[in-house]
Structure formats: C-alpha cells, structure tokens
Amino acid sequence: MSEDFEMSEEERDLLAGEYALGLLEGEERARAAALAAADPDFRRRAARWSGRLAPLLDEVEAVSPPVHLWTRIERRLSPAAAAGSNVHILRRKVNLWRGYSAAATALAASLALFLVARPADRTAPPPPPPPIAAEPLVAMMSSEGSAAKLVASFDPDRKSLIVAPAAGVESVPGHAHELWLIPADGKPRSMGIVAPGAPRRMAVAPPMLKELKADATLALSVEQTGGSPSGRPTGPVIASGKLIRT
Amino acid sequence: MDPIMDRPAGANFVSEEGRRLAGTLSDVANGDTAAMARLYERTSGKLFGICLRILGSEAEAEEALQETFVTVWRKAAAFDQGKASAVTWLAVLARNKAIDRLRGRRPGTDAGLDAAADIADSGASALDLLEDAQESRRLSACLDELEPRTGEAIRAAFIGGASYPDLAAREGVPLGTMKSWVRRGLLRLRGCLER
C-alpha cells in the first residue's frame, strides 16, 4: 500500500470510515490511529462516518447497569473538580443536619468548618489581599414558622455559591424559590432560582462578587415561576441567614 | 425520571427532552455533580446497553461505561449543542470507548476512537445531520439499498463491534473479499446519504 500522504482522497475517506467503524485490527488500526492523532482532516472524516451511522445505535436495547457502578464513577469524578468534593461534603453534612435539625446553631459552626475548610488554607501563609477580598463564607438559612432550611456556602476560588436545600424547600406548581443577596445597603439582589432537592452550584456574576461579604444576608422567597418579574422579592421569605466567615 | 434514551427506535431526539439533556450537559461542564447524577440516571441504561452489545461481558461493559462517564465529566465543555445532539454525542462516545476496549487499546497509547469522538463536535457539522427520526429512516433506507450481506456487515461492525477478520470468518469468505464488499458498501452508503 502507498504511504499515507499519497492516498487518494477516496482512500483516505474509506480508511477513516473503516477506522471509525472499528473494522481494523492490529497494525492497520494502529496506523489509522496514528493518522487520526496527526491529522484533523482525517479525524473529521472519521467523526463524520460515526455520525452517519450513529442512528443505528437507536436500535440497541437499554440495559440497567449494576447499582454499585454509579458509586464507582462518582468516586472518579473528583478530584478533577473541586466542585464535586465540595458538593459531596455538603450533601453529607446536609444529611447529617436533617437528622439533627434541632441542634441548628451548634451544628452551624461545625458545618461551617467542614464546608469550606481546606487543609491548605490552614498551613499556607495568608496570601496578599486580592483586589476583591473574596473569602469563604457560609450561611445557615432558616426562618421561624417555616420548615425551610438551607445551607449556602461561597467558594471564592470558583466564584460560586453552593446552595443546598436541607428541608422544607418543596416544589410548588407555578412557583419558584428565588435566592436574594441583601448587602449592607438593604437592597436585595437576585442570585437566581434555587431548585428543590439537590445541592446546586450557582455562578456568581462579577458585579455581585463584591457584595458577597460577611454580614450580608441571603434570603429565599417564593415567587412566580421564572422568578420575580420586578427584580425585587415579592413573595414570602421562607428562609434567611447571615453570611459568616468560616 | 423518564429515561429518554429508552424510547423506541426512530423517536425524535430533537425534542424538549433532548434539549433538556443538552442543558444538563452544560451544567455538567460547569462542574455540577448533581447534574452529572441526573445525566447518569437518564442515559446510563442506553449507554450500558451499547457497551454490553459490543463487549459481550458485563464486567467489560462496566469498565467502558465508567470510562465514558469520566470522559463526559472532563469533556462536557467540548460538547456543542449547535453541532450534535446530546444523545448522539453520548452514544458515539460510549460506543467508541467500548470499541477501543475491545481492540485492546491501552489507555494513553494511541489516539483511540474516543479521541475521534471528542473531535466530532469541533469538526464542522460532522454529527449534525442525524438528529431526527428522518435521518434514522434515511440511513435505514440507504443500508437497505446495499447487498443484504454488506448492509449486515456494516451494522454488525457499528453496533456489534465486529472487525474485518470477525466478519470474514462469520461469512466464511477470505478477508480481502469481505474488505472489498464493505468498502464498496461504504462508498454507496455515503453516496446515498449525500443524495
């Protein structure tokens, strides 16, 4: 056979097809793989062949994988993303909290430590203050007369807020739960909609970052689906809490 | 939750649910593990089925499925919903992981098919044609225009993981014969799909 670079366009396309279909074995496959690694045009051709035949995969019956598999996969998701580990710790702590919902205050302190404490932070010398002195913060949100409890934790490295509903945030048809940040000036800023159930990482927009400080308040209100149209909270506040340093 | 990939063949994947799946993928790209759990819940059955069909062993299929989801976690950002349907991207990714495993590629030794799938969405409109039932029907019609044994060989390769030597042994023909059947078939198929 001629060298790769002497192949006609048709030969190249056929080889890409044979490679994409998995028809090749051994040396032929290795040669095609090397070509794919080196040549974007060849990769595109192979991808196009996969695309042409992909509808065939519709025919394949779904089979439930064994239950333990997700746990194994989940373990491999971190430390690739710190998001993962934080949310996991958070979820575990939230479960703990559900179990001991009465002892909120004492637990708040320990949760706060668990949530954002990273060993590196304890041993490393304090870094010079960045332009925006973002720091890890946590808020335990609840309200008298309401069953809703949430834990919110601000991750300054990833500029995001992890919000974990612990209890009492149920989905109500036609309504949504909107999270508000109320800084020292007392004007609520919407941080977005909180989904009931799972902990969620919410990106914090840059203008909001400088408002995310200790002693600012986070509050959750019930609004119409899609959130308050006026940009101000209109429904009842079912949980709130002050952000504290961890 | 409704596993959207369990729907019958030919279902239209560019649906509300398909879009929701694309949205879930973009949450995954942002490092949202809860979204990852949702994605797994909704797609793992279909993807496991694909891996199992190719590898024929539960243990091997589990490994391939793991690799698939770990890759999804790392590469979700590369998925571009303008170019490929989320379902197609995931299904092709799982299939390629299974094929790479079947052909004994050691991780990291060469650019396996999974690399080709990653590139799929950067390459123009490689995967954008097959998003609906119409494309599925068109592919079936074009495969049906081929010699039955050739159409069967192409199917067996793509969804069953059969190689040239496997196919030649199955049909009891020399390797060279099988290759020329399939190559001719691929050219006709390409022509038919581009008509």
Side-chain angles (χ1 to χ4, degrees):
Chain A
M1 180 163 299
S2 60
E3 291 298 317
D4 296 339
F5 53 83
E6 288 172 1
M7 276 192 290
S8 71
E9 192 175 320
E10 183 155 292
E11 277 173 20
R12 281 172 69 82
D13 200 52
L14 272 174
L15 183 64
E18 292 173 314
Y19 176 58
L21 264 70
L23 287 159
L24 308 175
E25 284 190 2
E27 251 178 56
E28 281 183 311
R29 178 175 157 80
R31 199 172 67 103
L35 201 54
D39 180 352
D41 174 67
F42 188 81
R43 280 202 296 275
R44 258 193 303 276
R45 289 173 185 275
R48 200 162 295 146
W49 276 109
S50 295
R52 287 182 183 119
L53 290 161
L56 286 178
L57 297 172
D58 290 356
E59 294 171 17
V60 182
E61 293 276 325
V63 180
S64 294
V67 181
H68 64 84
L69 196 61
W70 168 244
T71 320
R72 273 162 60 196
I73 292 170
E74 204 178 18
R75 229 179 282 139
R76 288 180 61 187
L77 301 186
S78 42
S85 50
N86 271 354
V87 170
H88 287 301
I89 292 166
L90 192 55
R91 191 183 292 149
R92 278 200 295 277
K93 298 299 156 194
V94 165
N95 286 337
L96 197 78
W97 196 24
R98 281 186 179 130
Y100 299 93
S101 58
T105 318
L107 202 54
S110 66
L111 260 176
L113 282 176
F114 270 107
L115 284 175
V116 247
R118 285 177 304 259
D121 291 343
R122 318 251 141 214
T123 50
I132 297 164
E135 51 186 344
L137 300 166
V138 65
M140 316 299 294
M141 300 167 60
S142 61
S143 175
E144 256 184 67
S146 155
K149 291 186 197 306
L150 298 94
V151 187
S153 115
F154 174 58
D155 176 352
D157 294 340
R158 302 196 44 178
K159 299 185 176 50
S160 58
L161 197 63
I162 301 166
V163 181
V169 184
E170 315 290 352
S171 69
V172 183
H175 292 83
H177 295 97
E178 193 162 5
L179 184 69
W180 304 88
L181 173 69
I182 308 163
D185 65 8
K187 286 191 196 133
R189 273 82 154 169
S190 175
M191 305 286 290
I193 302 294
V194 172
R200 192 182 163 82
R201 182 181 280 280
M202 305 166 81
V204 179
M208 214 70 105
L209 278 174
K210 58 179 187 296
E211 308 289 357
L212 262 178
K213 286 191 279 214
D215 292 333
T217 297
L218 284 176
L220 191 73
S221 71
V222 180
E223 304 290 342
Q224 68 188 60
T225 303
S228 164
S230 67
R232 319 272 321 235
T234 53
V237 170
I238 58 167
S240 67
K242 264 192 187 339
L243 283 163
I244 55 171
R245 290 186 188 89
T246 62
Chain B
M1 204 168 297
D2 182 26
I4 68 160
M5 301 180 74
D6 290 351
R7 288 178 306 165
N12 186 351
F13 285 141
V14 185
S15 58
E16 196 53 40
E17 286 175 299
R19 267 192 288 279
R20 211 178 303 153
L21 194 62
T24 305
L25 260 181
S26 80
D27 288 344
V28 168
N30 288 326
D32 180 343
T33 43
M36 190 65 188
R38 281 201 302 281
L39 186 74
Y40 182 84
E41 194 178 339
R42 297 171 71 195
T43 63
S44 58
K46 179 70 182 190
L47 303 186
F48 189 61
I50 290 171
C51 294
L52 193 58
R53 177 80 167 260
I54 288 168
L55 290 161
S57 136
E58 292 237 350
E60 286 285 301
E62 284 178 34
E63 293 299 319
L65 191 68
Q66 266 196 72
E67 285 164 24
T68 302
F69 277 99
V70 171
T71 300
V72 167
W73 179 246
R74 296 208 190 105
K75 303 278 177 70
F79 168 74
D80 179 343
Q81 53 177 301
K83 289 176 182 157
S85 89
V87 176
T88 304
W89 189 74
L90 291 166
V92 169
L93 189 62
R95 178 204 170 261
N96 288 354
K97 289 286 183 193
I99 295 277
D100 283 345
R101 205 165 179 83
L102 188 67
R103 300 279 176 267
R105 180 181 75 97
R106 274 179 217 98
T109 51
D110 66 31
L113 281 177
D114 59 341
D118 291 345
I119 301 307
D121 35 3
S122 70
S125 50
L127 292 178
D128 68 352
L129 288 176
L130 33 109
E131 292 188 344
D132 55 28
Q134 200 190 341
E135 285 309 314
S136 192
R137 279 196 298 274
R138 204 156 75 133
L139 176 64
S140 289
C142 286
L143 281 170
D144 288 347
E145 282 186 17
L146 307 179
E147 297 260 347
R149 63 188 179 199
T150 306
E152 261 325 294
I154 290 172
R155 272 175 207 276
F158 197 77
I159 62 180
S163 66
Y164 273 141
D166 296 334
L167 294 168
R170 198 177 298 178
E171 286 287 318
V173 296
L175 191 57
T177 306
M178 180 53 73
K179 281 192 184 186
S180 66
W181 288 355
V182 170
R183 289 167 76 96
R184 208 176 318 136
L186 288 176
L187 288 177
R188 281 190 60 186
L189 184 65
R190 191 185 67 191
C192 175
L193 288 171
E194 282 166 6
R195 255 201 313 258

